[in-house]
Structures are given as structure tokens and as C-alpha cells.
mmCIF file of all heavy atoms in Angstrom:
data_model
loop_
_atom_site.group_PDB
_atom_site.id
_atom_site.type_symbol
_atom_site.label_atom_id
_atom_site.label_comp_id
_atom_site.label_asym_id
_atom_site.label_seq_id
_atom_site.Cartn_x
_atom_site.Cartn_y
_atom_site.Cartn_z
ATOM 1 N N CYS C 1 -26.847 -8.115 -9.776
ATOM 2 C CA CYS C 1 -25.798 -9.014 -9.318
ATOM 3 C C CYS C 1 -24.426 -8.444 -9.567
ATOM 4 O O CYS C 1 -23.495 -8.737 -8.838
ATOM 5 C CB CYS C 1 -25.953 -10.398 -9.945
ATOM 6 S SG CYS C 1 -25.482 -10.463 -11.667
ATOM 7 N N MET C 2 -24.273 -7.641 -10.615
ATOM 8 C CA MET C 2 -22.966 -7.088 -10.907
ATOM 9 C C MET C 2 -22.542 -6.084 -9.839
ATOM 10 O O MET C 2 -21.411 -6.076 -9.380
ATOM 11 C CB MET C 2 -22.964 -6.434 -12.283
ATOM 12 C CG MET C 2 -23.124 -7.434 -13.429
ATOM 13 S SD MET C 2 -22.993 -6.644 -15.043
ATOM 14 C CE MET C 2 -23.201 -8.064 -16.106
ATOM 15 N N THR C 3 -23.467 -5.238 -9.441
ATOM 16 C CA THR C 3 -23.169 -4.277 -8.388
ATOM 17 C C THR C 3 -22.939 -4.991 -7.066
ATOM 18 O O THR C 3 -22.035 -4.646 -6.308
ATOM 19 C CB THR C 3 -24.326 -3.265 -8.241
ATOM 20 O OG1 THR C 3 -24.552 -2.638 -9.498
ATOM 21 C CG2 THR C 3 -24.013 -2.226 -7.188
ATOM 22 N N HIS C 4 -23.768 -5.973 -6.783
ATOM 23 C CA HIS C 4 -23.612 -6.746 -5.565
ATOM 24 C C HIS C 4 -22.251 -7.468 -5.542
ATOM 25 O O HIS C 4 -21.548 -7.469 -4.525
ATOM 26 C CB HIS C 4 -24.737 -7.768 -5.433
ATOM 27 C CG HIS C 4 -24.578 -8.689 -4.260
ATOM 28 N ND1 HIS C 4 -24.766 -8.299 -2.965
ATOM 29 C CD2 HIS C 4 -24.197 -10.006 -4.220
ATOM 30 C CE1 HIS C 4 -24.530 -9.316 -2.163
ATOM 31 N NE2 HIS C 4 -24.192 -10.366 -2.897
ATOM 32 N N ALA C 5 -21.889 -8.085 -6.666
ATOM 33 C CA ALA C 5 -20.614 -8.800 -6.740
ATOM 34 C C ALA C 5 -19.434 -7.854 -6.585
ATOM 35 O O ALA C 5 -18.414 -8.231 -6.007
ATOM 36 C CB ALA C 5 -20.525 -9.532 -8.078
ATOM 37 N N LEU C 6 -19.607 -6.640 -7.093
ATOM 38 C CA LEU C 6 -18.514 -5.660 -6.982
ATOM 39 C C LEU C 6 -18.200 -5.367 -5.516
ATOM 40 O O LEU C 6 -17.042 -5.305 -5.111
ATOM 41 C CB LEU C 6 -18.911 -4.367 -7.697
ATOM 42 C CG LEU C 6 -17.915 -3.200 -7.604
ATOM 43 C CD1 LEU C 6 -16.634 -3.548 -8.343
ATOM 44 C CD2 LEU C 6 -18.514 -1.931 -8.168
ATOM 45 N N TRP C 7 -19.254 -5.173 -4.700
ATOM 46 C CA TRP C 7 -19.065 -4.770 -3.312
ATOM 47 C C TRP C 7 -18.926 -5.929 -2.347
ATOM 48 O O TRP C 7 -18.529 -5.741 -1.193
ATOM 49 C CB TRP C 7 -20.222 -3.881 -2.872
ATOM 50 C CG TRP C 7 -20.098 -2.491 -3.418
ATOM 51 C CD1 TRP C 7 -20.608 -2.027 -4.593
ATOM 52 C CD2 TRP C 7 -19.366 -1.399 -2.847
ATOM 53 N NE1 TRP C 7 -20.249 -0.714 -4.774
ATOM 54 C CE2 TRP C 7 -19.506 -0.304 -3.725
ATOM 55 C CE3 TRP C 7 -18.593 -1.254 -1.660
ATOM 56 C CZ2 TRP C 7 -18.901 0.928 -3.457
ATOM 57 C CZ3 TRP C 7 -18.020 -0.024 -1.415
ATOM 58 C CH2 TRP C 7 -18.182 1.043 -2.298
ATOM 59 N N SER C 8 -19.207 -7.141 -2.804
ATOM 60 C CA SER C 8 -19.076 -8.282 -1.899
ATOM 61 C C SER C 8 -18.087 -9.318 -2.417
ATOM 62 O O SER C 8 -17.828 -10.307 -1.766
ATOM 63 C CB SER C 8 -20.451 -8.944 -1.703
ATOM 64 O OG SER C 8 -20.928 -9.441 -2.945
ATOM 65 N N GLY C 9 -17.535 -9.081 -3.594
ATOM 66 C CA GLY C 9 -16.655 -10.073 -4.214
ATOM 67 C C GLY C 9 -15.196 -9.862 -3.911
ATOM 68 O O GLY C 9 -14.807 -9.247 -2.918
ATOM 69 N N GLU C 10 -14.373 -10.376 -4.792
ATOM 70 C CA GLU C 10 -12.924 -10.405 -4.556
ATOM 71 C C GLU C 10 -12.324 -9.013 -4.482
ATOM 72 O O GLU C 10 -11.427 -8.755 -3.671
ATOM 73 C CB GLU C 10 -12.267 -11.192 -5.700
ATOM 74 C CG GLU C 10 -10.766 -11.382 -5.516
ATOM 75 C CD GLU C 10 -10.177 -12.266 -6.586
ATOM 76 O OE1 GLU C 10 -10.917 -13.081 -7.164
ATOM 77 O OE2 GLU C 10 -8.979 -12.119 -6.850
ATOM 78 N N LEU C 11 -12.834 -8.077 -5.278
ATOM 79 C CA LEU C 11 -12.281 -6.733 -5.251
ATOM 80 C C LEU C 11 -12.535 -6.058 -3.912
ATOM 81 O O LEU C 11 -11.645 -5.440 -3.337
ATOM 82 C CB LEU C 11 -12.891 -5.877 -6.371
ATOM 83 C CG LEU C 11 -12.386 -4.434 -6.483
ATOM 84 C CD1 LEU C 11 -10.878 -4.393 -6.729
ATOM 85 C CD2 LEU C 11 -13.123 -3.697 -7.590
ATOM 86 N N ALA C 12 -13.738 -6.211 -3.394
ATOM 87 C CA ALA C 12 -14.051 -5.594 -2.090
ATOM 88 C C ALA C 12 -13.292 -6.248 -0.959
ATOM 89 O O ALA C 12 -13.028 -5.631 0.055
ATOM 90 C CB ALA C 12 -15.569 -5.692 -1.835
ATOM 91 N N GLU C 13 -12.964 -7.511 -1.134
ATOM 92 C CA GLU C 13 -12.258 -8.236 -0.085
ATOM 93 C C GLU C 13 -10.749 -8.145 -0.225
ATOM 94 O O GLU C 13 -10.020 -8.851 0.465
ATOM 95 C CB GLU C 13 -12.695 -9.727 -0.101
ATOM 96 C CG GLU C 13 -14.169 -9.924 0.203
ATOM 97 C CD GLU C 13 -14.571 -9.375 1.552
ATOM 98 O OE1 GLU C 13 -13.767 -9.517 2.493
ATOM 99 O OE2 GLU C 13 -15.664 -8.821 1.660
ATOM 100 N N SER C 14 -10.276 -7.326 -1.130
ATOM 101 C CA SER C 14 -8.835 -7.181 -1.325
ATOM 102 C C SER C 14 -8.258 -6.246 -0.280
ATOM 103 O O SER C 14 -8.227 -5.032 -0.441
ATOM 104 C CB SER C 14 -8.558 -6.635 -2.756
ATOM 105 O OG SER C 14 -8.979 -7.564 -3.716
ATOM 106 N N PHE C 15 -7.810 -6.820 0.813
ATOM 107 C CA PHE C 15 -7.295 -6.063 1.931
ATOM 108 C C PHE C 15 -5.773 -5.943 1.848
ATOM 109 O O PHE C 15 -5.091 -6.808 1.316
ATOM 110 C CB PHE C 15 -7.678 -6.728 3.244
ATOM 111 C CG PHE C 15 -9.125 -6.563 3.626
ATOM 112 C CD1 PHE C 15 -10.091 -7.478 3.197
ATOM 113 C CD2 PHE C 15 -9.547 -5.507 4.404
ATOM 114 C CE1 PHE C 15 -11.408 -7.343 3.532
ATOM 115 C CE2 PHE C 15 -10.868 -5.353 4.748
ATOM 116 C CZ PHE C 15 -11.812 -6.268 4.315
ATOM 117 N N HIS C 16 -5.273 -4.898 2.468
ATOM 118 C CA HIS C 16 -3.849 -4.797 2.739
ATOM 119 C C HIS C 16 -3.580 -5.720 3.944
ATOM 120 O O HIS C 16 -4.283 -5.641 4.949
ATOM 121 C CB HIS C 16 -3.469 -3.355 3.105
ATOM 122 C CG HIS C 16 -3.705 -2.371 2.019
ATOM 123 N ND1 HIS C 16 -2.678 -1.837 1.243
ATOM 124 C CD2 HIS C 16 -4.860 -1.815 1.536
ATOM 125 C CE1 HIS C 16 -3.200 -0.991 0.368
ATOM 126 N NE2 HIS C 16 -4.503 -0.969 0.530
ATOM 127 N N GLU C 17 -2.606 -6.572 3.836
ATOM 128 C CA GLU C 17 -2.333 -7.515 4.898
ATOM 129 C C GLU C 17 -0.860 -7.863 4.967
ATOM 130 O O GLU C 17 -0.115 -7.631 4.017
ATOM 131 C CB GLU C 17 -3.156 -8.800 4.657
ATOM 132 C CG GLU C 17 -2.867 -9.468 3.326
ATOM 133 C CD GLU C 17 -3.808 -10.630 3.041
ATOM 134 O OE1 GLU C 17 -4.715 -10.869 3.866
ATOM 135 O OE2 GLU C 17 -3.621 -11.297 2.014
ATOM 136 N N PRO C 18 -0.401 -8.415 6.092
ATOM 137 C CA PRO C 18 1.006 -8.782 6.221
ATOM 138 C C PRO C 18 1.380 -9.864 5.226
ATOM 139 O O PRO C 18 0.563 -10.737 4.894
ATOM 140 C CB PRO C 18 1.107 -9.311 7.657
ATOM 141 C CG PRO C 18 -0.063 -8.730 8.379
ATOM 142 C CD PRO C 18 -1.164 -8.640 7.347
ATOM 143 N N SER C 19 2.599 -9.781 4.733
ATOM 144 C CA SER C 19 3.069 -10.820 3.800
ATOM 145 C C SER C 19 3.429 -12.080 4.589
ATOM 146 O O SER C 19 3.415 -12.085 5.822
ATOM 147 C CB SER C 19 4.305 -10.324 3.048
ATOM 148 O OG SER C 19 5.384 -10.089 3.963
ATOM 149 N N SER C 20 3.711 -13.137 3.894
ATOM 150 C CA SER C 20 4.128 -14.377 4.559
ATOM 151 C C SER C 20 5.424 -14.880 3.912
ATOM 152 O O SER C 20 5.435 -15.226 2.738
ATOM 153 C CB SER C 20 3.019 -15.443 4.385
ATOM 154 O OG SER C 20 3.376 -16.633 5.040
ATOM 155 N N PRO C 21 6.540 -14.832 4.668
ATOM 156 C CA PRO C 21 6.681 -14.365 6.046
ATOM 157 C C PRO C 21 6.594 -12.846 6.139
ATOM 158 O O PRO C 21 6.862 -12.160 5.157
ATOM 159 C CB PRO C 21 8.076 -14.867 6.436
ATOM 160 C CG PRO C 21 8.817 -14.920 5.140
ATOM 161 C CD PRO C 21 7.819 -15.331 4.114
ATOM 162 N N ASN C 22 6.240 -12.357 7.323
ATOM 163 C CA ASN C 22 5.990 -10.929 7.459
ATOM 164 C C ASN C 22 7.241 -10.134 7.840
ATOM 165 O O ASN C 22 7.187 -8.904 7.875
ATOM 166 C CB ASN C 22 4.871 -10.672 8.479
ATOM 167 C CG ASN C 22 5.165 -11.324 9.829
ATOM 168 O OD1 ASN C 22 6.273 -11.250 10.362
ATOM 169 N ND2 ASN C 22 4.146 -11.968 10.399
ATOM 170 N N GLN C 23 8.349 -10.826 8.191
ATOM 171 C CA GLN C 23 9.601 -10.138 8.524
ATOM 172 C C GLN C 23 9.406 -9.094 9.635
ATOM 173 O O GLN C 23 9.989 -8.010 9.593
ATOM 174 C CB GLN C 23 10.212 -9.480 7.287
ATOM 175 C CG GLN C 23 10.423 -10.402 6.097
ATOM 176 C CD GLN C 23 11.453 -11.502 6.386
ATOM 177 O OE1 GLN C 23 12.276 -11.378 7.283
ATOM 178 N NE2 GLN C 23 11.381 -12.606 5.632
ATOM 179 N N MET C 24 8.619 -9.461 10.626
ATOM 180 C CA MET C 24 8.319 -8.503 11.705
ATOM 181 C C MET C 24 9.543 -8.227 12.564
ATOM 182 O O MET C 24 10.327 -9.137 12.855
ATOM 183 C CB MET C 24 7.181 -9.048 12.580
ATOM 184 C CG MET C 24 6.779 -8.114 13.694
ATOM 185 S SD MET C 24 5.275 -8.664 14.565
ATOM 186 C CE MET C 24 5.806 -10.267 15.206
ATOM 187 N N ALA C 25 9.669 -6.988 12.973
ATOM 188 C CA ALA C 25 10.730 -6.569 13.896
ATOM 189 C C ALA C 25 10.107 -5.572 14.869
ATOM 190 O O ALA C 25 9.282 -4.738 14.482
ATOM 191 C CB ALA C 25 11.894 -5.951 13.142
ATOM 192 N N LEU C 26 10.501 -5.658 16.151
ATOM 193 C CA LEU C 26 9.953 -4.814 17.186
ATOM 194 C C LEU C 26 11.061 -4.004 17.854
ATOM 195 O O LEU C 26 12.170 -4.528 18.089
ATOM 196 C CB LEU C 26 9.222 -5.656 18.245
ATOM 197 C CG LEU C 26 8.140 -6.591 17.728
ATOM 198 C CD1 LEU C 26 7.595 -7.453 18.855
ATOM 199 C CD2 LEU C 26 7.000 -5.807 17.061
ATOM 200 N N TYR C 27 10.755 -2.746 18.183
ATOM 201 C CA TYR C 27 11.729 -1.861 18.840
ATOM 202 C C TYR C 27 11.069 -1.143 19.992
ATOM 203 O O TYR C 27 9.899 -0.747 19.912
ATOM 204 C CB TYR C 27 12.280 -0.836 17.828
ATOM 205 C CG TYR C 27 12.942 -1.473 16.629
ATOM 206 C CD1 TYR C 27 12.183 -1.801 15.493
ATOM 207 C CD2 TYR C 27 14.318 -1.737 16.618
ATOM 208 C CE1 TYR C 27 12.791 -2.385 14.396
ATOM 209 C CE2 TYR C 27 14.925 -2.302 15.517
ATOM 210 C CZ TYR C 27 14.156 -2.624 14.399
ATOM 211 O OH TYR C 27 14.750 -3.213 13.311
ATOM 212 N N GLU C 28 11.818 -0.979 21.059
ATOM 213 C CA GLU C 28 11.299 -0.355 22.260
ATOM 214 C C GLU C 28 11.830 1.058 22.420
ATOM 215 O O GLU C 28 13.022 1.307 22.254
ATOM 216 C CB GLU C 28 11.666 -1.201 23.486
ATOM 217 C CG GLU C 28 11.004 -0.773 24.779
ATOM 218 C CD GLU C 28 11.336 -1.736 25.897
ATOM 219 O OE1 GLU C 28 12.468 -2.231 25.971
ATOM 220 O OE2 GLU C 28 10.433 -2.001 26.730
ATOM 221 N N THR C 29 10.928 1.990 22.776
ATOM 222 C CA THR C 29 11.359 3.358 23.006
ATOM 223 C C THR C 29 12.103 3.422 24.348
ATOM 224 O O THR C 29 11.885 2.562 25.227
ATOM 225 C CB THR C 29 10.160 4.330 23.037
ATOM 226 O OG1 THR C 29 9.240 3.887 24.035
ATOM 227 C CG2 THR C 29 9.479 4.365 21.679
ATOM 228 N N PRO C 30 12.981 4.406 24.537
ATOM 229 C CA PRO C 30 13.759 4.474 25.781
ATOM 230 C C PRO C 30 12.921 4.485 27.044
ATOM 231 O O PRO C 30 13.313 3.945 28.066
ATOM 232 C CB PRO C 30 14.557 5.779 25.608
ATOM 233 C CG PRO C 30 14.670 5.954 24.128
ATOM 234 C CD PRO C 30 13.368 5.451 23.576
ATOM 235 N N ASP C 31 11.746 5.109 27.008
ATOM 236 C CA ASP C 31 10.911 5.172 28.206
ATOM 237 C C ASP C 31 10.023 3.932 28.368
ATOM 238 O O ASP C 31 9.237 3.829 29.321
ATOM 239 C CB ASP C 31 10.032 6.420 28.195
ATOM 240 C CG ASP C 31 9.166 6.497 26.936
ATOM 241 O OD1 ASP C 31 9.127 5.509 26.164
ATOM 242 O OD2 ASP C 31 8.515 7.544 26.733
ATOM 243 N N ARG C 32 10.141 3.007 27.440
ATOM 244 C CA ARG C 32 9.368 1.753 27.452
ATOM 245 C C ARG C 32 7.853 1.979 27.407
ATOM 246 O O ARG C 32 7.080 1.094 27.755
ATOM 247 C CB ARG C 32 9.730 0.910 28.695
ATOM 248 C CG ARG C 32 11.165 0.426 28.725
ATOM 249 C CD ARG C 32 11.403 -0.530 29.864
ATOM 250 N NE ARG C 32 12.760 -1.057 29.835
ATOM 251 C CZ ARG C 32 13.238 -1.911 30.736
ATOM 252 N NH1 ARG C 32 12.458 -2.328 31.706
ATOM 253 N NH2 ARG C 32 14.484 -2.344 30.644
ATOM 254 N N CYS C 33 7.461 3.115 26.952
ATOM 255 C CA CYS C 33 6.031 3.409 26.873
ATOM 256 C C CYS C 33 5.428 3.049 25.523
ATOM 257 O O CYS C 33 4.219 3.029 25.359
ATOM 258 C CB CYS C 33 5.788 4.893 27.147
ATOM 259 S SG CYS C 33 6.114 5.391 28.850
#
């Protein structure tokens, strides 16, 4: 259970994710591509 918990528990589910608020900003390249 310890090995299983390691890979399926909180540590394994610790993802990098946007903060809240995420302060998102968008910029367009000159060619709009």
C-alpha cells in the first residue's frame, strides 16, 4: 500500500498548474500565425 499510495496519492497528483488568478496575457505575432 505504501508503494501504491506513493504513485497514486497526493505526491503523484501534484501537477504544475495555473495559479488563481492566473494573470493571463496574450500577444499576437506580426504575421498573425
Side-chain angles (χ1 to χ4, degrees):
C1 73
M2 293 184 179
T3 303
H4 174 73
L6 176 67
W7 283 92
S8 62
E10 185 175 334
L11 181 59
E13 297 301 322
S14 296
F15 286 89
H16 298 256
E17 58 187 3
S19 64
S20 181
N22 55 45
Q23 305 295 338
M24 181 172 61
L26 305 175
Y27 301 88
E28 189 175 37
T29 57
D31 57 7
R32 295 187 177 180
C33 291

